[in-house]
């Protein structure tokens, strides 16, 4: 995982995601999830391309159950793009870099 990607948990979610001055892409994932692992290189690449304009964070749903429950996460990977504390876009399932860039660019 890139040093530009931050791990968050149920206790740091509000500060790191909802109160962030920069838009945040949050990846709901689990260690056992193959499609989640497939998304990692894409997220690493986008973290450097959008550095300073977008923060990318990850939350492990096996270790943190409050936040996924609050956002009705039913499948992983689920990617949610937060801006000013609100969900602006959601993607369920693995997607390619081009599709993810389109989702990000619409919000930025």
């Amino acid at each position: 995982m890139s040093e530009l990607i931050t791990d968050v948990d149920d206790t740091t979610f509000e500060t790191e995601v909802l109160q962030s001055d920069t838009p945040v892409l949050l990846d709901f994932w689990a260690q056992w999830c193959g499609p989640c692992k497939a998304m990692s290189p894409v997220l690493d690449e986008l973290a450097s391309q959008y550095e300073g304009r977008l923060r990318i964070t990850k939350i492990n749903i096996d270790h943190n159950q409050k936040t996924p429950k609050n956002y009705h996460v039913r499948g992983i990977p689920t990617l949610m793009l937060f801006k000013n504390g609100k969900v602006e876009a959601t993607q369920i399932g693995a997607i390619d870099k081009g599709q993810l860039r389109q989702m990000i660019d619409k919000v930025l």
Side-chain angles (χ1 to χ4, degrees), residues 17-42:
V17 177
L18 298 182
Q19 296 176 3
S20 175
D21 293 334
T22 306
V24 177
L25 180 67
L26 177 61
D27 177 22
F28 291 88
W29 74 286
Q31 188 66 40
W32 49 264
C33 170
C36 298
K37 290 179 183 177
M39 289 296 300
S40 283
V42 172

mmCIF file of all heavy atoms in Angstrom, residues 17-42:
data_model
loop_
_atom_site.group_PDB
_atom_site.id
_atom_site.type_symbol
_atom_site.label_atom_id
_atom_site.label_comp_id
_atom_site.label_asym_id
_atom_site.label_seq_id
_atom_site.Cartn_x
_atom_site.Cartn_y
_atom_site.Cartn_z
ATOM 1 N N VAL A 17 -12.181 11.527 7.517
ATOM 2 C CA VAL A 17 -13.004 11.531 6.302
ATOM 3 C C VAL A 17 -14.021 12.668 6.318
ATOM 4 O O VAL A 17 -14.011 13.533 5.454
ATOM 5 C CB VAL A 17 -13.709 10.169 6.106
ATOM 6 C CG1 VAL A 17 -14.617 10.193 4.884
ATOM 7 C CG2 VAL A 17 -12.675 9.048 5.981
ATOM 8 N N LEU A 18 -14.901 12.680 7.311
ATOM 9 C CA LEU A 18 -15.995 13.655 7.320
ATOM 10 C C LEU A 18 -15.518 15.091 7.526
ATOM 11 O O LEU A 18 -16.095 16.016 6.971
ATOM 12 C CB LEU A 18 -17.028 13.287 8.386
ATOM 13 C CG LEU A 18 -17.736 11.938 8.190
ATOM 14 C CD1 LEU A 18 -18.760 11.719 9.296
ATOM 15 C CD2 LEU A 18 -18.384 11.844 6.820
ATOM 16 N N GLN A 19 -14.470 15.278 8.317
ATOM 17 C CA GLN A 19 -13.991 16.635 8.609
ATOM 18 C C GLN A 19 -12.833 17.068 7.714
ATOM 19 O O GLN A 19 -12.284 18.143 7.906
ATOM 20 C CB GLN A 19 -13.586 16.734 10.079
ATOM 21 C CG GLN A 19 -14.749 16.538 11.028
ATOM 22 C CD GLN A 19 -14.330 16.542 12.486
ATOM 23 O OE1 GLN A 19 -13.170 16.749 12.830
ATOM 24 N NE2 GLN A 19 -15.291 16.317 13.368
ATOM 25 N N SER A 20 -12.493 16.257 6.733
ATOM 26 C CA SER A 20 -11.369 16.580 5.854
ATOM 27 C C SER A 20 -11.697 17.783 4.964
ATOM 28 O O SER A 20 -12.795 17.893 4.428
ATOM 29 C CB SER A 20 -11.050 15.370 4.970
ATOM 30 O OG SER A 20 -10.037 15.697 4.045
ATOM 31 N N ASP A 21 -10.724 18.669 4.813
ATOM 32 C CA ASP A 21 -10.872 19.820 3.919
ATOM 33 C C ASP A 21 -10.733 19.397 2.456
ATOM 34 O O ASP A 21 -11.170 20.105 1.554
ATOM 35 C CB ASP A 21 -9.809 20.881 4.228
ATOM 36 C CG ASP A 21 -10.023 21.521 5.592
ATOM 37 O OD1 ASP A 21 -11.169 21.552 6.065
ATOM 38 O OD2 ASP A 21 -9.026 21.973 6.190
ATOM 39 N N THR A 22 -10.110 18.256 2.239
ATOM 40 C CA THR A 22 -9.884 17.709 0.902
ATOM 41 C C THR A 22 -10.885 16.582 0.658
ATOM 42 O O THR A 22 -11.180 15.830 1.581
ATOM 43 C CB THR A 22 -8.448 17.139 0.829
ATOM 44 O OG1 THR A 22 -7.527 18.148 1.225
ATOM 45 C CG2 THR A 22 -8.100 16.666 -0.564
ATOM 46 N N PRO A 23 -11.420 16.432 -0.549
ATOM 47 C CA PRO A 23 -12.281 15.276 -0.828
ATOM 48 C C PRO A 23 -11.547 13.971 -0.500
ATOM 49 O O PRO A 23 -10.321 13.883 -0.658
ATOM 50 C CB PRO A 23 -12.564 15.404 -2.326
ATOM 51 C CG PRO A 23 -12.430 16.867 -2.605
ATOM 52 C CD PRO A 23 -11.315 17.328 -1.714
ATOM 53 N N VAL A 24 -12.306 12.981 -0.054
ATOM 54 C CA VAL A 24 -11.730 11.701 0.386
ATOM 55 C C VAL A 24 -12.416 10.549 -0.330
ATOM 56 O O VAL A 24 -13.642 10.450 -0.329
ATOM 57 C CB VAL A 24 -11.899 11.515 1.917
ATOM 58 C CG1 VAL A 24 -11.361 10.165 2.361
ATOM 59 C CG2 VAL A 24 -11.217 12.638 2.684
ATOM 60 N N LEU A 25 -11.615 9.674 -0.927
ATOM 61 C CA LEU A 25 -12.111 8.419 -1.488
ATOM 62 C C LEU A 25 -11.870 7.344 -0.439
ATOM 63 O O LEU A 25 -10.727 7.095 -0.057
ATOM 64 C CB LEU A 25 -11.377 8.081 -2.782
ATOM 65 C CG LEU A 25 -11.818 6.782 -3.466
ATOM 66 C CD1 LEU A 25 -13.262 6.915 -3.978
ATOM 67 C CD2 LEU A 25 -10.886 6.424 -4.597
ATOM 68 N N LEU A 26 -12.951 6.741 0.052
ATOM 69 C CA LEU A 26 -12.858 5.718 1.092
ATOM 70 C C LEU A 26 -13.123 4.346 0.473
ATOM 71 O O LEU A 26 -14.162 4.133 -0.158
ATOM 72 C CB LEU A 26 -13.864 5.997 2.213
ATOM 73 C CG LEU A 26 -13.928 4.969 3.340
ATOM 74 C CD1 LEU A 26 -12.587 4.853 4.063
ATOM 75 C CD2 LEU A 26 -15.016 5.350 4.332
ATOM 76 N N ASP A 27 -12.193 3.436 0.672
ATOM 77 C CA ASP A 27 -12.285 2.066 0.170
ATOM 78 C C ASP A 27 -12.672 1.147 1.322
ATOM 79 O O ASP A 27 -11.905 0.983 2.267
ATOM 80 C CB ASP A 27 -10.923 1.653 -0.414
ATOM 81 C CG ASP A 27 -10.882 0.215 -0.899
ATOM 82 O OD1 ASP A 27 -11.955 -0.357 -1.179
ATOM 83 O OD2 ASP A 27 -9.758 -0.334 -0.998
ATOM 84 N N PHE A 28 -13.880 0.584 1.259
ATOM 85 C CA PHE A 28 -14.306 -0.433 2.221
ATOM 86 C C PHE A 28 -13.782 -1.765 1.686
ATOM 87 O O PHE A 28 -14.136 -2.158 0.569
ATOM 88 C CB PHE A 28 -15.836 -0.480 2.321
ATOM 89 C CG PHE A 28 -16.449 0.738 2.954
ATOM 90 C CD1 PHE A 28 -16.779 1.843 2.177
ATOM 91 C CD2 PHE A 28 -16.707 0.786 4.313
ATOM 92 C CE1 PHE A 28 -17.367 2.968 2.747
ATOM 93 C CE2 PHE A 28 -17.293 1.905 4.898
ATOM 94 C CZ PHE A 28 -17.618 2.991 4.114
ATOM 95 N N TRP A 29 -12.967 -2.475 2.449
ATOM 96 C CA TRP A 29 -12.298 -3.664 1.957
ATOM 97 C C TRP A 29 -12.119 -4.690 3.071
ATOM 98 O O TRP A 29 -12.402 -4.411 4.235
ATOM 99 C CB TRP A 29 -10.931 -3.298 1.372
ATOM 100 C CG TRP A 29 -9.919 -2.973 2.432
ATOM 101 C CD1 TRP A 29 -9.862 -1.843 3.190
ATOM 102 C CD2 TRP A 29 -8.855 -3.804 2.879
ATOM 103 N NE1 TRP A 29 -8.817 -1.916 4.077
ATOM 104 C CE2 TRP A 29 -8.187 -3.118 3.906
ATOM 105 C CE3 TRP A 29 -8.403 -5.062 2.506
ATOM 106 C CZ2 TRP A 29 -7.074 -3.648 4.568
ATOM 107 C CZ3 TRP A 29 -7.299 -5.581 3.167
ATOM 108 C CH2 TRP A 29 -6.648 -4.878 4.174
ATOM 109 N N ALA A 30 -11.640 -5.888 2.685
ATOM 110 C CA ALA A 30 -11.274 -6.939 3.639
ATOM 111 C C ALA A 30 -10.088 -7.711 3.070
ATOM 112 O O ALA A 30 -9.918 -7.801 1.843
ATOM 113 C CB ALA A 30 -12.440 -7.883 3.886
ATOM 114 N N GLN A 31 -9.277 -8.267 3.950
ATOM 115 C CA GLN A 31 -8.066 -8.987 3.561
ATOM 116 C C GLN A 31 -8.361 -10.175 2.640
ATOM 117 O O GLN A 31 -7.604 -10.473 1.736
ATOM 118 C CB GLN A 31 -7.328 -9.461 4.819
ATOM 119 C CG GLN A 31 -5.974 -10.061 4.557
ATOM 120 C CD GLN A 31 -4.969 -9.055 4.015
ATOM 121 O OE1 GLN A 31 -4.933 -7.914 4.455
ATOM 122 N NE2 GLN A 31 -4.163 -9.468 3.062
ATOM 123 N N TRP A 32 -9.471 -10.838 2.856
ATOM 124 C CA TRP A 32 -9.821 -12.049 2.105
ATOM 125 C C TRP A 32 -10.466 -11.766 0.750
ATOM 126 O O TRP A 32 -10.735 -12.678 -0.018
ATOM 127 C CB TRP A 32 -10.769 -12.923 2.939
ATOM 128 C CG TRP A 32 -11.918 -12.147 3.516
ATOM 129 C CD1 TRP A 32 -11.989 -11.611 4.778
ATOM 130 C CD2 TRP A 32 -13.134 -11.784 2.867
ATOM 131 N NE1 TRP A 32 -13.179 -10.940 4.948
ATOM 132 C CE2 TRP A 32 -13.908 -11.030 3.788
ATOM 133 C CE3 TRP A 32 -13.670 -12.011 1.600
ATOM 134 C CZ2 TRP A 32 -15.165 -10.509 3.485
ATOM 135 C CZ3 TRP A 32 -14.920 -11.487 1.301
ATOM 136 C CH2 TRP A 32 -15.650 -10.755 2.233
ATOM 137 N N CYS A 33 -10.718 -10.518 0.431
ATOM 138 C CA CYS A 33 -11.472 -10.131 -0.771
ATOM 139 C C CYS A 33 -10.535 -9.979 -1.981
ATOM 140 O O CYS A 33 -9.728 -9.050 -2.026
ATOM 141 C CB CYS A 33 -12.204 -8.819 -0.474
ATOM 142 S SG CYS A 33 -12.953 -8.032 -1.899
ATOM 143 N N GLY A 34 -10.666 -10.893 -2.951
ATOM 144 C CA GLY A 34 -9.840 -10.842 -4.156
ATOM 145 C C GLY A 34 -9.988 -9.564 -4.961
ATOM 146 O O GLY A 34 -8.987 -8.932 -5.321
ATOM 147 N N PRO A 35 -11.236 -9.141 -5.267
ATOM 148 C CA PRO A 35 -11.402 -7.884 -6.006
ATOM 149 C C PRO A 35 -10.840 -6.669 -5.250
ATOM 150 O O PRO A 35 -10.354 -5.718 -5.877
ATOM 151 C CB PRO A 35 -12.915 -7.772 -6.189
ATOM 152 C CG PRO A 35 -13.397 -9.187 -6.143
ATOM 153 C CD PRO A 35 -12.494 -9.875 -5.154
ATOM 154 N N CYS A 36 -10.883 -6.714 -3.919
ATOM 155 C CA CYS A 36 -10.306 -5.616 -3.117
ATOM 156 C C CYS A 36 -8.798 -5.542 -3.353
ATOM 157 O O CYS A 36 -8.232 -4.458 -3.531
ATOM 158 C CB CYS A 36 -10.572 -5.822 -1.629
ATOM 159 S SG CYS A 36 -12.317 -5.847 -1.171
ATOM 160 N N LYS A 37 -8.151 -6.707 -3.351
ATOM 161 C CA LYS A 37 -6.701 -6.749 -3.599
ATOM 162 C C LYS A 37 -6.380 -6.268 -5.007
ATOM 163 O O LYS A 37 -5.367 -5.607 -5.220
ATOM 164 C CB LYS A 37 -6.176 -8.173 -3.385
ATOM 165 C CG LYS A 37 -6.195 -8.601 -1.943
ATOM 166 C CD LYS A 37 -5.693 -10.019 -1.788
ATOM 167 C CE LYS A 37 -5.786 -10.456 -0.339
ATOM 168 N NZ LYS A 37 -5.374 -11.849 -0.156
ATOM 169 N N ALA A 38 -7.246 -6.594 -5.962
ATOM 170 C CA ALA A 38 -7.033 -6.160 -7.343
ATOM 171 C C ALA A 38 -7.115 -4.641 -7.473
ATOM 172 O O ALA A 38 -6.490 -4.052 -8.365
ATOM 173 C CB ALA A 38 -8.048 -6.823 -8.267
ATOM 174 N N MET A 39 -7.871 -3.986 -6.614
ATOM 175 C CA MET A 39 -8.032 -2.528 -6.659
ATOM 176 C C MET A 39 -6.823 -1.796 -6.063
ATOM 177 O O MET A 39 -6.607 -0.623 -6.367
ATOM 178 C CB MET A 39 -9.293 -2.095 -5.896
ATOM 179 C CG MET A 39 -10.600 -2.451 -6.567
ATOM 180 S SD MET A 39 -10.851 -1.638 -8.159
ATOM 181 C CE MET A 39 -10.813 0.084 -7.704
ATOM 182 N N SER A 40 -6.040 -2.463 -5.234
ATOM 183 C CA SER A 40 -4.934 -1.798 -4.534
ATOM 184 C C SER A 40 -3.950 -1.075 -5.454
ATOM 185 O O SER A 40 -3.629 0.086 -5.209
ATOM 186 C CB SER A 40 -4.196 -2.772 -3.626
ATOM 187 O OG SER A 40 -4.943 -2.980 -2.459
ATOM 188 N N PRO A 41 -3.451 -1.711 -6.532
ATOM 189 C CA PRO A 41 -2.515 -0.981 -7.401
ATOM 190 C C PRO A 41 -3.158 0.237 -8.074
ATOM 191 O O PRO A 41 -2.507 1.254 -8.283
ATOM 192 C CB PRO A 41 -2.082 -2.007 -8.447
ATOM 193 C CG PRO A 41 -2.591 -3.329 -8.005
ATOM 194 C CD PRO A 41 -3.617 -3.100 -6.956
ATOM 195 N N VAL A 42 -4.436 0.129 -8.402
ATOM 196 C CA VAL A 42 -5.156 1.251 -9.015
ATOM 197 C C VAL A 42 -5.232 2.409 -8.016
ATOM 198 O O VAL A 42 -4.957 3.567 -8.357
ATOM 199 C CB VAL A 42 -6.577 0.816 -9.457
ATOM 200 C CG1 VAL A 42 -7.402 2.014 -9.907
ATOM 201 C CG2 VAL A 42 -6.498 -0.230 -10.550
#
